[in-house]
Amino acid sequence: MTTQQETRPQAAAKPVRWAADTVATMREGARLCLDYSAQSLWRVDRMIDDLRREGTPYAAVQSVLRGFGAYAGEVIVRQTGAEWWTAGGDHWVRTPDGRLWDPIDEARRCFADQGSLRLLCRDATVGGSAYQGP
């Protein structure tokens, strides 16, 4: 029997690790439970908004934003059966209907008060049938 990690494309390796690290860091540091649900993205959007309002420099949160974006991508992957794609060091999520999503860039846009990971997930999961798993 193989695990889900072993059967996923190589492109997923880094973002899956970034997402898992973010879940662990939030659980241990902020006492925030991220459970890979679409509802948890409300909390992530709020955390990014708080960082922005506190005036945190982008350079100080760049890797945190990457982790939040990867986490949002994993939410989309798990909700829709999407796959991670990569090229030139960038990572995207491709949903089964062929659409490409950039949750890592969306996290950066959230920090600039121009995006929402919750809304990105909603948009990525609308229009196709819910993923039922293998």
Side-chain angles (χ1 to χ4, degrees):
M1 182 174 182
T2 60
T3 65
Q4 183 181 18
Q5 179 73 19
E6 293 168 341
T7 60
R8 297 190 60 193
Q10 182 63 29
K14 285 184 180 180
V16 168
R17 169 55 41 209
W18 296 331
D21 288 348
T22 297
V23 168
T25 300
M26 291 298 104
R27 181 180 59 244
E28 294 166 13
R31 302 275 188 242
L32 178 67
C33 180
L34 298 178
D35 60 3
Y36 293 98
S37 68
Q39 295 79 12
S40 68
L41 294 174
W42 283 88
R43 292 183 293 256
V44 173
D45 275 349
R46 269 184 274 158
M47 291 195 72
I48 294 172
D49 190 44
D50 289 345
L51 290 169
R52 180 182 45 77
R53 279 196 252 158
E54 291 169 3
T56 309
Y58 176 77
V61 294
Q62 187 172 359
S63 65
V64 171
L65 295 173
R66 181 187 68 196
F68 283 147
Y71 172 77
E74 270 300 289
V75 171
I76 294 168
V77 165
R78 293 174 185 208
Q79 296 259 329
T80 66
E83 293 182 323
W84 282 100
W85 288 65
T86 186
D90 293 326
H91 293 83
W92 303 281
V93 170
R94 183 171 188 232
T95 49
D97 61 9
R99 294 181 295 170
L100 289 173
W101 305 89
D102 191 345
I104 295 172
D105 187 56
E106 189 69 14
R108 294 180 195 119
R109 290 173 40 79
C110 289
F111 188 69
D113 199 22
Q114 299 175 353
S116 167
L117 293 173
R118 175 185 57 83
L119 295 177
L120 178 81
C121 180
R122 184 201 64 194
D123 292 347
T125 58
V126 170
S129 60
Y131 178 62
Q132 300 298 313

